[in-house]
């Protein structure tokens, strides 16, 4: 076959292709709504024609948006986004565009940037004052403490944190997280740290971001050390990590919160015993710091975990 023959074949191929493009385009345009939609884009017809199937996809998402009542139920390919065509220099490109409802939600959630979570599920950032169970008298003093804490802190005072002890699953972590959320809405930054796991990961990251994380937590305006006493206590975790964090926070008036299944007396015993022996003096020193940093409250309640 000579070169001219090939060229003719290629040309024929494009002609057939053009015909079928036109065909499927006019076919799709028999849907009046679709036609109105694509002509509202102000793109020339001969260009639109090349993109019928993608335009149909974006039209489907556009219609979903018109009917939308609830972002949660968004059926679009990427939740909260719609597939949008745009013409530029002779080609149409399609991209996912954030919808107004999603924009609003992101704006509403922007305060969560003020909460930093270490080794805890992210959804702890959804804990909320509104949802605190009030079916339980044990919570009343805690809620009262929260109100006073907020008032004072926002006036510029630096009130003590809480040492919240109590039974497993009673909602200790949830309560403190809900306070931090309320503070986050008022632009106060905080860190929630699941202490036993944090120690493990700190140890594992010794050479990389160790000092960054350690520093961040030490200096966070509000701090929760969650589940203290549940870790395997070592000289290192007690004397190199916990001790300096508490010391720094005392010296700088930074409110510090703890949750624990242990009372302070029990924690003192747990901190005294490490694999290297018994050191009551060092344990005592930690407890003294915690006492200076906090008020102690107890939450005994039924287990809320399912
Ligand atoms: P604790 O820290 O005392 O072991 P958590 O704070 O983890 O207990 O609470 C146990 C479970 O109950 C968690 O799944 C938490 O999300 C849920 N929970 C606790 N208090 C509330 C609340 N007021 N509203 C909604 N869920 C709660
Ligand atoms: Mg907890």
């Amino acid at each position: 076959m000579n070169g001219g023959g090939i060229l003719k074949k290629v040309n024929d191929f494009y002609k057939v292709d053009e015909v079928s493009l036109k065909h499927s385009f006019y076919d799709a345009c028999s849907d009046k709504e679709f036609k109105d939609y694509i002509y509202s884009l102000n793109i020339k017809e001969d260009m639109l024609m090349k993109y019928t199937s993608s335009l149909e996809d974006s039209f489907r998402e556009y219609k979903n948006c018109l009917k939308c009542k609830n972002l949660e139920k968004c059926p679009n390919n990427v939740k909260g986004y719609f597939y949008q065509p745009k013409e530029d220099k002779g080609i149409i490109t399609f991209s996912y565009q954030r919808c107004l409802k999603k924009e609003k939600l992101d704006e509403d959630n922007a305060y969560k940037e003020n909460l930093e979570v270490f080794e805890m599920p992210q959804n702890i950032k959804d804990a909320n004052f509104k949802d605190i169970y009030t079916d339980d008298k044990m919570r009343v003093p805690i809620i009262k403490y929260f109100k006073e804490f907020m008032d004072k802190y926002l006036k510029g005072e630096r009130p003590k944190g809480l040492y919240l002890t109590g039974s497993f699953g009673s909602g200790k972590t949830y309560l403190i997280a809900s306070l931090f959320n309320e503070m986050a809405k008022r632009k106060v930054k905080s860190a929630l740290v699941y202490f036993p796991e944090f120690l493990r990961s700190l140890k594992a990251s010794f050479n990389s971001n160790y000092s960054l994380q350690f520093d961040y937590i030490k200096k966070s305006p509000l701090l929760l050390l969650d589940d203290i006493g549940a870790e395997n206590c070592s000289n290192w975790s007690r004397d190199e990590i916990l001790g300096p964090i508490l010391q720094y926070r005392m010296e700088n008036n930074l409110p510090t919160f703890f949750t624990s299944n242990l009372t302070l007396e029990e924690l003192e015993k747990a901190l005294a015993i490490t694999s290297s022996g018994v050191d009551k003096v060092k344990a005592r020193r930690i407890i003294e710091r915690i006492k200076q940093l906090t008020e102690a409250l107890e939450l005994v309640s039924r287990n809320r975990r399912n």
Side-chain angles (χ1 to χ4, degrees):
M1 203 191 294
N2 61 31
I6 292 177
L7 207 59
K8 183 173 182 311
K9 275 218 153 167
V10 172
N11 281 337
D12 284 352
F13 174 78
Y14 278 115
K15 254 181 223 148
V16 172
D17 206 40
E18 224 168 273
V19 171
S20 73
L21 279 179
K22 265 191 191 167
H23 226 83
S24 57
F25 178 71
Y26 289 121
D27 240 21
C29 286
S30 61
D31 178 344
K32 184 169 178 312
E33 269 184 285
F34 175 73
K35 195 172 170 187
D36 290 347
Y37 167 72
I38 57 165
Y39 282 97
S40 75
L41 300 171
N42 282 323
I43 302 175
K44 282 198 202 113
E45 193 179 287
D46 59 339
M47 200 184 305
L48 287 171
M49 229 172 251
K50 298 177 193 161
Y51 299 89
T52 308
S53 132
S54 296
L55 288 167
E56 283 175 318
D57 290 342
S58 73
F59 174 59
R60 207 172 303 120
E61 300 216 325
Y62 165 79
K63 274 203 300 190
N64 288 337
C65 287
L66 286 181
K67 282 188 296 199
C68 170
K69 289 205 177 73
N70 182 346
L71 185 57
E72 269 311 298
K73 293 192 179 127
C74 172
N76 285 355
N77 225 349
V78 183
K79 199 163 154 179
Y81 290 76
F82 57 96
Y83 198 49
Q84 197 189 36
K86 219 186 229 149
E87 190 258 312
D88 188 34
K89 297 188 191 102
I91 52 169
I92 301 181
T93 51
F94 290 81
S95 61
Y96 285 102
Q97 210 59 37
R98 194 160 56 144
C99 76
L100 289 176
K101 288 201 175 83
K102 174 82 168 98
E103 260 175 34
K104 167 90 171 56
L105 180 74
D106 289 348
E107 228 167 76
D108 291 349
N109 279 333
Y111 77 89
K112 290 182 181 171
E113 307 264 307
N114 292 327
L115 293 157
E116 206 60 58
V117 166
F118 293 83
E119 312 296 340
M120 279 170 126
Q122 287 291 320
N123 67 6
I124 197 75
K125 293 186 177 182
D126 296 324
N128 203 304
F129 265 9
K130 282 203 308 287
D131 297 330
I132 292 180
Y133 300 127
T134 47
D135 57 349
D136 191 332
K137 284 206 191 78
M138 286 297 293
R139 277 159 223 273
V140 175
I142 299 170
I143 294 166
K144 188 165 164 268
Y145 163 88
F146 283 173
K147 292 208 169 112
E148 285 174 10
F149 179 87
M150 288 184 74
D151 283 350
K152 287 182 183 163
Y153 193 98
L154 296 170
K155 270 193 234 151
E157 292 173 39
R158 290 296 171 261
K160 285 185 172 189
L162 264 193
Y163 184 86
L164 190 55
T165 180
S167 51
F168 174 83
S170 55
K172 300 182 293 299
T173 303
Y174 188 96
L175 280 167
I176 311 275
S178 69
L179 171 67
F180 284 13
N181 273 317
E182 295 302 325
M183 296 302 279
K185 287 175 192 163
R186 291 158 181 85
K187 303 196 168 30
V188 180
K189 288 185 189 291
S190 61
L192 295 115
V193 181
Y194 184 66
F195 196 56
E197 196 53 45
F198 176 70
L199 286 173
R200 270 191 287 273
S201 91
L202 207 55
K203 219 170 179 177
S205 71
F206 214 92
N207 291 318
S208 50
N209 50 4
Y210 165 82
S211 57
L212 273 180
Q213 285 202 358
F214 181 69
D215 228 50
Y216 189 94
I217 281 164
K218 201 170 78 173
K219 295 178 178 168
S220 174
L222 301 177
L223 173 68
L224 167 63
L225 294 181
D226 194 42
D227 240 343
I228 189 169
E231 72 276 15
N232 282 325
C233 183
S234 67
N235 285 356
W236 172 77
S237 67
R238 183 192 58 205
D239 306 332
E240 309 292 326
I241 304 299
L242 186 56
I245 291 177
L246 302 185
Q247 184 66 30
Y248 183 89
R249 300 188 65 81
M250 259 168 52
E251 286 165 2
N252 291 280
N253 262 324
L254 297 168
T256 308
F257 294 72
F258 304 82
T259 71
S260 183
N261 293 330
L262 307 179
T263 62
L264 275 169
E265 292 71 39
E266 290 165 337
L267 181 67
E268 185 170 348
K269 286 189 191 123
L271 287 173
I273 305 161
T274 70
S275 54
S276 350
V278 180
D279 195 330
K280 288 189 177 165
V281 177
K282 288 200 168 121
R284 180 84 232 149
R285 209 174 287 152
I286 298 276
I287 298 298
E288 286 308 324
R289 288 179 191 157
I290 295 180
K291 281 185 176 163
Q292 285 211 38
L293 281 163
T294 62
E295 286 178 30
L297 284 175
E298 198 185 2
L299 178 64
V300 180
S301 185
R302 69 177 171 80
N303 186 352
R304 307 271 176 175
R305 295 181 199 207
N306 356 339

